[in-house]
């Protein structure tokens, strides 16, 4: 299996997003970080931005909602055409109900956990999800240091998917670079969000290739 690379436009130039998408054409997905300044202490953009990106992006949009009350807001992102919509376990009221709703609209359903949130309660819900996002930094900002302390969660998830035979993508987000991606891949991740390491690189396409190669030998 090859690693999926999902560059996060959080570190891109917001005034030139269409052009920025053109710099990452070899990526598998585009990671779109929606922040509401309540769930996290930072503010980005909302559904209209996702609709606009959807019109110009040839890559699938991987929407990561760092917002309160996803039960209310997440379906709109699926309706906007997002390929996947991931909400936070800490913010949702009815995780299974919301995941079913997202799938019904036609999006992949994802659940995310912050570094301090245990994964055990969600293992039995894996059949309800298409992807799980393990945050490897505190959500809110790009450019933070990868937290290796989160890796046991990936091992548990990988064991659970292997045992059940479920095809649930295991995603990591935060501090992913050519130095850390192998650690996450070895622990069980197969989908890698990378913001600053891709968009701050001189050549984003070269950096994507570098990340793919560094993950490649470890991905299960
Ligand atoms: C952080 C966001 C990430 C962010 C990662 O809360 O969810 O997607 O863009 O940025 P880097 O790769 O720079 O850590
Ligand atoms: Zn993210």
């Amino acid at each position: 299996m090859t690693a999926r690379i999902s560059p996060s436009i959080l570190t891109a130039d917001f005034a030139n997003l269409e052009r920025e998408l053109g710099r990452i054409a070899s990526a598998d997905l585009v990671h779109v970080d929606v922040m509401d300044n309540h769930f996290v202490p930072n503010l980005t953009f909302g559904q209209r931005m996702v609709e606009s990106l959807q019109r110009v992006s040839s890559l699938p949009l991987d929407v990561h909602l760092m917002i309160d009350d996803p039960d209310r807001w997440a379906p709109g992102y699926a309706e906007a055409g997002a390929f996947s919509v991931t909400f936070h376990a800490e913010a949702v009221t009815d995780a299974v109900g919301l995941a079913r709703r997202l799938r019904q609209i036609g999006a992949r359903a994802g659940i995310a956990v912050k570094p301090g949130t245990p994964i055990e309660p969600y293992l039995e819900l894996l059949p309800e999800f298409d992807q799980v996002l393990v945050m490897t930094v505190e959500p809110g900002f790009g450019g933070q240091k990868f937290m290796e302390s989160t890796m046991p969660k990936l091992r548990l998830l990988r064991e659970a998917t292997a045992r059940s035979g479920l095809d649930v993508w295991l995603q990591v987000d935060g501090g992913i670079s050519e130095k850390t991606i192998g650690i996450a891949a070895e622990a069980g991740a197969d989908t890698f969000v990378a913001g600053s390491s891709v968009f701050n690189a001189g050549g984003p396409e070269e950096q994507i290739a570098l990340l793919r190669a560094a993950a490649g030998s470890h991905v299960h």
Side-chain angles (χ1 to χ4, degrees):
M1 209 236 285
T2 65
R4 290 178 208 94
I5 307 293
S6 185
S8 164
I9 55 168
L10 185 62
T11 307
D13 177 358
F14 281 11
N16 293 288
L17 285 176
E18 185 171 6
R19 191 179 70 199
E20 294 285 68
L21 292 178
R23 299 169 72 210
I24 56 164
S26 64
D28 299 283
L29 308 153
V30 187
H31 187 79
V32 180
D33 286 305
V34 175
M35 304 186 185
D36 67 353
N37 215 16
H38 289 270
F39 182 73
V40 287
N42 196 5
L43 183 66
T44 56
F45 40 67
Q47 193 182 315
R48 283 207 58 230
M49 179 66 91
V50 172
E51 285 163 4
S52 295
L53 288 169
Q54 179 68 25
R55 279 195 287 276
V56 299
S57 179
S58 49
L59 293 172
L61 302 186
D62 175 37
V63 174
H64 176 194
L65 298 178
M66 285 162 276
I67 61 171
D68 282 341
D69 201 7
D71 303 71
R72 175 171 176 192
W73 301 111
Y77 290 86
E79 280 154 10
F83 173 73
S84 55
V85 179
T86 296
F87 56 82
H88 267 268
E90 303 85 0
V92 74
T93 303
D94 177 10
V96 169
L98 182 55
R100 288 183 182 170
R101 179 95 200 275
L102 294 171
R103 282 176 155 181
Q104 199 177 37
I105 298 167
R108 292 170 59 85
I111 188 160
V113 287
K114 298 205 278 188
T117 302
I119 199 67
E120 285 84 348
Y122 304 99
L123 295 177
E124 64 188 32
L125 302 183
L126 284 178
E128 302 286 348
F129 291 96
D130 300 293
Q131 50 198 68
V132 179
L133 192 167
V134 173
M135 288 302 304
T136 43
V137 298
E138 288 299 337
F141 299 93
Q144 302 182 79
K145 190 173 177 293
F146 176 76
M147 294 168 69
E148 198 167 345
S149 57
T150 58
M151 292 299 100
K153 287 194 262 190
L154 281 162
R155 293 184 207 287
L156 284 174
L157 284 161
R158 183 49 70 198
E159 278 165 29
T161 57
R163 215 174 27 240
S164 58
L166 290 167
D167 181 22
V168 180
W169 295 1
L170 304 183
Q171 195 170 29
V172 281
D173 183 5
I176 298 297
S177 70
E178 69 279 13
K179 295 191 180 70
T180 55
I181 194 166
I183 300 169
E186 192 276 322
D190 53 32
T191 307
F192 304 88
V193 177
S196 51
S197 84
V198 168
F199 279 102
N200 289 345
E205 298 285 20
E206 289 77 6
Q207 183 62 20
I208 290 168
L210 191 61
L211 290 172
R212 227 187 264 292
S217 52
H218 300 276
V219 168
H220 296 236

